[in-house]
C-alpha cells in the first residue's frame, strides 16, 4: 500500500524529551502501513542513537539515518526528504509531539482541498504559537486572506511532489531562521494552503531545561543576516506594494519591534540589548519603506520610528512605560443556560495597576514624524488608541492545563466609555461567552483566559480574581455523559472548568439525609447538579455482604435549583442491613465510576429508612466483610465506594 505520510524528525541529543515524540507517533490513528517515520540523527552524542536503532528494530514504521553533525536542522530535514516515500512529508522536532489523529486529519484535509501545504493547529507549552490563524478552518488560505505569515515554524505537512517540482529545500549549515526561508517560499509558491483549526495537531514544547535551540541566546549579527534571506524570498516572489509590505511587516513586528518592547527588552543585559538594537536599526533603515511601519499598531509604530531614528535611550524609556500595562478581566456571572455555560465578564487595560485612561475627544492622526520624546510618544499612543476604541475586542479562550491546547469560545461584547474627569475616559469591554463543554475534547482542567485587543496591545490574562464573598458558584453540570465543574482556583480565585469531575469534586457531600424521601420501593433525593433534561444514571447499593445495582433518573428540580434523583430500590432484596448508596453519572462509560452519596438505607421491619452514613470505622469493617463475600472481581469497586470521599 502506498505511504501517505513520511514524518521527518531531525535529532540531536534530545535525551528523555524524545520519548513523548516517539509515543505520539506510535499512537497515530492513520493505519500503520500508511505512514513512515524517518529519524535523522545529526551526530548525537547521548544515548539517542542506540535508542532509535532499538526502536527501528522492533517497529517497521520507524527508520533511522545516522550522519555527522551538520550544526543545525536544515540538512537533516533535507536528508529525510530524500529518503521519504510518502505522498506528503511532515516535519516534527524531536522534543515536540503530535495529537493522536494529526497525520490522518491533516492528510485527509490536504487531499480534500488539493493543498500543497497543510498547517495543523498548534498548542504551545511554554512556547508562543499563532492564535489568530487557528480561529477557524481555512480550506484555501493565502498570505492575503489569512495570517499564514504568523506561522513560520517548519511543523507543516507538505506535498512531496510540490517539493520536487519547485526544488524547495531547507538552507543548510550552522544558521538561524532556515525555517522562515523555507516556509515563506512554500506559502508563496504553493497552489493552495489549507489550515486545520478544529483539532490540535502539533504540541510545541519548551523543555524544562530550556535547552531548545530556539531559546538559546543568538548572535544578533548572524541572526539578522539570516533574516535578510527570508526578506529576499519575499522580494523574489512578490511585487512592490501592499502585499509585500504586509509580509515584511511580520518580520518587523515579530523579530524586531517585539524584541524591543516592555520586559522582554528590559530583562536583557545592557550590552546585549545595545548590540541587538544596533542590528535591528540597520535592517529597519536598509530594508523597510514607510508602508511597512504604517500598518503597525500605535505602540509598534512608535518603537519602529524610534528605532529607525537610532534613539536607543528613548526605546528603553518607552519599554519601561509599556512594562506597566496589562489587561484585567473581572467575572460578572457564571451560570448554566440551555445546556451551555454562560460566562459574563468585563475587561479593560490597566497602567501601573490602575485603570488606563485616554483623552475623551481624541481623533486619529498619522505618526508623520518621530516623537520628540517619550512623553510625546505616550500622548500620541493614548490619543490614537482612543480613536480606535471601535476596533477593541475581547475573546474568551479555554486552555487545557496539561497540554496548552486552546479554543476560542463564542463571545458577544459591547464597548463602554466611562468618564473619569478632566476630559479622560476608560474603555470597558462587557462580554458574555457561551461555552459548550461538549465541544471540548477530552477530560481535564481548562483555564478561562481572556484575550483583549486595544490599540497596540493584544494581551491575555486569567479570568479573575473573583472575591470569595461574591463569586458565582454554579453546580456541576451533566453535559452529555460528562460531569463539568466550574470552579475558582485557590488561592488566586481564577475561573477554571474540570471536565470529567468525580468524587468529592462533584459536591454531593452536602446532601442531608432528612431531605431524602422513601415511598414504597422508590426513593427521591435532591442533588446539587445541573441537568437540562432527564438523564439516566446507575446506582449501586452496598452492604456488608452484597452489591445490588439499579437504574435511576436525574431530572431538573421543579424550582430550577439543582436536580432530583429518583430510583426504584431493589426493596425485596434489601435484607436487614445498612446499605451505602453510590451514584454513577456516566453509565455508558467503559469504566463506570461511582461516587458515594452522603446517606445510607436501612431495611428493617418491612420498611426502608434513610440514615446517616456509617462512621469510618464501621465503613471499613463493612468493606472488609464485603470483600470476603463478593470476591476479587468487585474488590476495588467496594473499596472505592466505602473508603473514597463523597
Amino acid at each position: 500500500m502506498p505511504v501517505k505520510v513520511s514524518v521527518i524528525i531531525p535529532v540531536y541529543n534530545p535525551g528523555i524529551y524524545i520519548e513523548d515524540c516517539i509515543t505520539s507517533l506510535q499512537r497515530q490513528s492513520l493505519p500503520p502501513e500508511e505512514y513512515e517515520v524517518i529519524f535523522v540523527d545529526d551526530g548525537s552524542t547521548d544515548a539517542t542513537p542506540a535508542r532509535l536503532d532499538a526502536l527501528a528494530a522492533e517497529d517497521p514504521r520507524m527508520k533511522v539515518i545516522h550522519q555527522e553533525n551538520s550544526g543545525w536542522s536544515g540538512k537533516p530535514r533535507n536528508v529525510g526528504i530524500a529518503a521519504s516515500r510518502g505522498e506528503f512529508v511532515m516535519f516534527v522536532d524531536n522534543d515536540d509531539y503530535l495529537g493522536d489523529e494529526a497525520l490522518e486529519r491533516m492528510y485527509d484535509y490536504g487531499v480534500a482541498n488539493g493543498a500543497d501545504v497543510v498547517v495543523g493547529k498548534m498548542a504551545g507549552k511554554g512556547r508562543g504559537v499563532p492564535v489568530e490563524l487557528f480561529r477557524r478552518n481555512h480550506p484555501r488560505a493565502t498570505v492575503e486572506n489569512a495570517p499564514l505569515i504568523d506561522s513560520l515554524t517548519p511543523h507543516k505537512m507538505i506535498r512531496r511532489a510540490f517539493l520536487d517540482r519547485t526544488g524547495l529545500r531547507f538552507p543548510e549549515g550552522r544558521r538561524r531562521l532556515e525555517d522562515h526561508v523555507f516556509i515563506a517560499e512554500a506559502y508563496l509558491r504553493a497552489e493552495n494552503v489549507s489550515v486545520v483549526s478544529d483539532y490540535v495537531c502539533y504540541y510545541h514544547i519548551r523543555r524544562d531545561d530550556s535547552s531548545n535551540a530556539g531559546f538559546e541566546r543568538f548572535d544578533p549579527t548572524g541572526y539578522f543576516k539570516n533574516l535578510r534571506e527570508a526578506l529576499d524570498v519575499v522580494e523574489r516572489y512578490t511585487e512592490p506594494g501592499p502585499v509585500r509590505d504586509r509580509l515584511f511587516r511580520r518580520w518587523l513586528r515579530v523579530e524586531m519591534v517585539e524584541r524591543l518592547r516592555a520586559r522582554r527588552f528590559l530583562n536583557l543585559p545592557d550590552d546585549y540589548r545595545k548590540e541587538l538594537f544596533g542590528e535591528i536599526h540597520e535592517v529597519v533603515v536598509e530594508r523597510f519603506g514607510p508602508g511597512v511601519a504604517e500598518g503597525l499598531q500605535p505602540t509598534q509604530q512608535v518603537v519602529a520610528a524610534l528605532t529607525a531614528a537610532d534613539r536607543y535611550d528613548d526605546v528603553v524609556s518607552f519599554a519601561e512605560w509599556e512594562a506597566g500595562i496589562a489587561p484585567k478581566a473581572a467575572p460578572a456571572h457564571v451560570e448554566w443556560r440551555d445546556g451551555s455555560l454562560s460566562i459574563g465578564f468585563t475587561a479593560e487595560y490597566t497602567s501601573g495597576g490602575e485603570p488606563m485612561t485616554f483623552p475623551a475627544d481624541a481623533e486619529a492622526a498619522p505618526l508623520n514624524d518621530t516623537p520628540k520624546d517619550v512623553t510625546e510618544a505616550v500622548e500620541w499612543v493614548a490619543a490614537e488608541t482612543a480613536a480606535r476604541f471601535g476596533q477593541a475586542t475581547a475573546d474568551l479562550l479555554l486552555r487545557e492545563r496539561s497540554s496548552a491546547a486552546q479554543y476560542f469560545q463564542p463571545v458577544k461584547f459591547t464597548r463602554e466609555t466611562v468618564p473619569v474627569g478632566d476630559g479622560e475616559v476608560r474603555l470597558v469591554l462587557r462580554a458574555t461567552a457561551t461555552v459548550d463543554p461538549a465541544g471540548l475534547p477530552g477530560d481535564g482542567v481548562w483555564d478561562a483566559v481572556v484575550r483583549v485587543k486595544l490599540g497596540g496591545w493584544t494581551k491575555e490574562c486569567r479570568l479573575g480574581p473573583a472575591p470569595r464573598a461574591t463569586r458565582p458558584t454554579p453546580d456541576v453540570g451533566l453535559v452529555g455523559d460528562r460531569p463539568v465543574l466550574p470552579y475558582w482556583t485557590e488561592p488566586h480565585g481564577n475561573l477554571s472548568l474540570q471536565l470529567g469531575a468525580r468524587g468529592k469534586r462533584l459536591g454531593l457531600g452536602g446532601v442531608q439525609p432528612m431531605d431524602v424521601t422513601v415511598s414504597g420501593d422508590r426513593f427521591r433525593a435532591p442533588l446539587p447538579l445541573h441537568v437540562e433534561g432527564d438523564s439516566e444514571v446507575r446506582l449501586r447499593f452496598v452492604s456488608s455482604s452484597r452489591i445490588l445495582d439499579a437504574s435511576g433518573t436525574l431530572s431538573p428540580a421543579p424550582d430550577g435549583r439543582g436536580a432530583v434523583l429518583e430510583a426504584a430500590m431493589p426493596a425485596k432484596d434489601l435484607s436487614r442491613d445498612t446499605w451505602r448508596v453510590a451514584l454513577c453519572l456516566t453509565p455508558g462509560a467503559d469504566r463506570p465510576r461511582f461516587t458515594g452519596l452522603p446517606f445510607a438505607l436501612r431495611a428493617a421491619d418491612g420498611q426502608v429508612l434513610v440514615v446517616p452514613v456509617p462512621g469510618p470505622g464501621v465503613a471499613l469493617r463493612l468493606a472488609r466483610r464485603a470483600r470476603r463475600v463478593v470476591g476479587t472481581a468487585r474488590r476495588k469497586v467496594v473499596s472505592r465506594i466505602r473508603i473514597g470521599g463523597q
Side-chain angles (χ1 to χ4, degrees):
M1 180 175 292
V3 175
K4 291 181 176 179
V5 182
S6 297
V7 183
I8 298 171
I9 307 171
V11 178
Y12 182 72
N13 288 355
I16 62 171
Y17 294 98
I18 200 171
E19 296 302 325
D20 285 343
C21 180
I22 291 171
T23 301
S24 77
L25 292 165
Q26 292 178 320
R27 285 200 308 257
Q28 288 301 300
S29 60
L30 199 65
E33 67 275 10
E34 294 183 0
Y35 72 101
E36 63 178 359
V37 180
I38 303 172
F39 294 95
V40 183
D41 172 38
D42 198 41
S44 293
T45 58
D46 62 2
T48 302
R51 169 71 176 103
L52 294 178
D53 287 340
L55 175 68
E58 66 186 24
D59 190 334
R61 295 169 294 183
M62 309 293 165
K63 300 174 175 58
V64 184
I65 299 172
H66 298 284
Q67 65 179 31
E68 292 184 3
N69 183 256
S70 66
W72 208 249
S73 300
K75 184 174 181 179
R77 292 192 185 110
N78 290 340
V79 169
I81 293 171
S84 65
R85 298 178 297 129
E87 181 183 352
F88 285 81
V89 294
M90 173 76 192
F91 298 105
V92 176
D93 284 346
N94 61 193
D95 35 28
D96 297 334
Y97 61 90
L98 298 177
D100 292 354
E101 301 173 22
L103 297 183
E104 183 176 15
R105 285 177 178 253
M106 292 176 73
Y107 175 85
D108 288 347
Y109 201 64
V111 170
N113 294 292
D116 288 328
V117 181
V118 185
V119 185
K121 182 182 178 74
M122 301 179 72
K125 297 185 68 175
R127 304 194 69 156
V129 297
V131 176
E132 297 299 328
L133 177 60
F134 300 120
R135 277 185 179 269
R136 61 177 181 84
N137 286 347
H138 296 267
R140 302 195 64 82
T142 70
V143 294
E144 297 183 51
N145 67 19
L148 281 177
I149 203 66
D150 287 351
S151 181
L152 291 176
T153 62
H155 316 119
K156 316 290 188 283
M157 185 178 286
I158 302 180
R159 192 181 294 272
R160 173 64 191 273
F162 166 71
L163 294 177
D164 291 342
R165 182 176 71 252
T166 59
L168 182 58
R169 295 295 186 271
F170 287 90
E172 298 184 2
R174 182 171 290 278
R175 52 165 295 126
R176 292 276 186 165
L177 302 179
E178 84 292 341
D179 47 356
H180 286 208
V181 175
F182 179 88
I183 295 298
E185 184 169 346
Y187 286 157
L188 292 169
R189 301 184 70 181
E191 292 185 6
N192 185 39
V193 179
S194 295
V195 181
V196 177
S197 299
D198 56 0
Y199 179 80
V200 178
C201 299
Y202 197 93
Y203 292 86
H204 203 22
I205 309 302
R206 180 171 186 166
R207 295 185 188 181
D208 294 336
D209 59 4
S210 296
S211 62
N212 310 71
F215 284 98
E216 297 174 1
R217 181 175 295 174
F218 58 80
D219 164 43
T221 300
Y223 187 89
F224 289 102
K225 176 183 177 181
N226 295 151
L227 184 145
R228 287 175 172 90
E229 296 175 30
L231 303 180
D232 291 341
V233 169
V234 174
E235 288 187 343
R236 188 178 309 129
Y237 294 105
T238 64
E239 297 294 329
V243 173
R244 179 183 291 180
D245 286 348
R246 184 161 63 248
L247 297 179
F248 275 180
R249 195 172 298 133
R250 185 270 176 209
W251 280 278
L252 174 60
R253 172 173 52 86
V254 176
E255 302 297 336
M256 301 179 205
V257 167
E258 290 301 316
R259 294 183 185 278
L260 304 179
R261 291 180 68 184
R263 298 198 182 280
R264 182 177 181 181
F265 188 48
L266 299 175
N267 289 340
L268 298 174
D270 188 57
D271 57 344
Y272 183 75
R273 206 162 62 192
K274 289 179 178 177
E275 182 183 5
L276 180 67
F277 175 84
E279 291 296 329
I280 291 174
H281 164 71
E282 286 190 13
V283 179
V284 170
V285 173
E286 169 194 321
R287 300 299 293 263
F288 299 138
V292 179
E294 284 177 2
L296 293 173
Q297 295 295 328
T299 49
Q300 297 165 344
Q301 287 189 48
V302 166
V303 175
L306 295 174
T307 302
D310 201 17
R311 286 165 51 182
Y312 171 79
D313 290 338
D314 283 344
V315 170
V316 173
S317 297
F318 192 77
E320 290 171 344
W321 171 71
E322 270 207 282
I325 295 173
K328 180 179 180 181
H333 71 262
V334 182
E335 58 190 35
W336 293 102
R337 296 179 183 175
D338 301 324
S340 297
L341 192 65
S342 178
I343 301 174
F345 61 92
T346 60
E348 67 179 310
Y349 271 92
T350 62
S351 179
E354 297 296 324
M356 202 167 183
T357 61
F358 306 89
D361 301 318
E363 295 183 0
L367 188 65
N368 292 323
D369 298 310
T370 304
K372 65 181 181 182
D373 54 31
V374 171
T375 299
E376 184 177 283
V378 170
E379 290 174 352
W380 180 81
V381 166
E384 192 69 11
T385 300
R388 301 185 186 201
F389 276 176
Q391 300 174 21
T393 61
D395 279 298
L396 183 83
L397 295 94
L398 290 181
R399 182 174 296 154
E400 208 273 318
R401 190 174 295 173
S402 65
S403 69
Q406 58 187 10
Y407 293 87
F408 283 97
Q409 304 302 302
V411 171
K412 295 181 179 180
F413 65 88
T414 58
R415 306 176 184 96
E416 179 182 346
T417 54
V418 180
V420 293
D422 296 327
E424 297 282 302
V425 295
R426 294 162 47 199
L427 177 67
V428 178
L429 299 170
R430 300 189 182 278
T432 299
T434 302
V435 176
D436 179 8
L440 296 174
D443 292 344
V445 175
W446 295 76
D447 295 322
V449 177
V450 175
R451 181 178 174 88
V452 184
K453 288 185 181 181
L454 173 64
W457 301 284
T458 300
K459 294 177 179 287
E460 297 177 350
C461 64
R462 291 293 306 276
L463 179 52
R468 186 181 299 275
T470 59
R471 64 179 56 162
T473 54
D475 293 332
V476 171
L478 190 59
V479 180
D481 60 351
R482 187 161 53 171
V484 179
L485 168 66
Y487 73 98
W488 303 96
T489 62
E490 294 293 348
H492 301 295
N494 297 320
L495 180 65
S496 295
L497 305 181
Q498 183 175 1
L499 275 62
R502 58 179 185 263
K504 290 182 179 180
R505 303 287 285 172
L506 293 176
L508 303 180
V511 177
Q512 299 297 317
M514 66 184 68
D515 295 326
V516 181
T517 58
V518 174
S519 177
D521 63 350
R522 301 187 66 83
F523 79 89
R524 186 176 187 274
L527 299 182
L529 296 170
H530 172 81
V531 293
E532 278 300 302
D534 293 348
S535 299
E536 183 179 342
V537 295
R538 282 179 60 186
L539 290 161
R540 181 157 285 174
F541 303 89
V542 183
S543 74
S544 60
S545 59
R546 285 191 297 165
I547 295 176
L548 302 175
D549 286 342
S551 61
T553 302
L554 270 177
S555 303
D559 61 2
R561 297 164 57 186
V564 175
L565 170 65
E566 293 194 67
M569 300 177 296
K572 63 180 180 180
D573 295 322
L574 297 181
S575 58
R576 298 175 62 88
D577 211 335
T578 299
W579 296 78
R580 287 291 311 271
V581 183
L583 172 66
C584 174
L585 295 173
T586 57
D590 294 336
R591 295 181 58 193
R593 294 181 179 272
F594 288 82
T595 299
L597 297 176
F599 60 86
L601 302 177
R602 178 176 297 160
D605 300 326
Q607 61 179 332
V608 178
L609 304 176
V610 180
V611 298
V613 172
V618 176
L620 284 171
R621 289 196 298 274
L622 291 175
R624 293 191 188 103
R625 292 179 194 169
R627 284 198 295 268
R628 288 197 296 270
V629 174
V630 302
T632 303
R634 291 188 174 181
R635 285 178 184 174
K636 292 182 180 179
V637 173
V638 175
S639 178
R640 185 162 61 242
I641 294 171
R642 291 295 189 182
I643 303 172
Q646 296 163 351

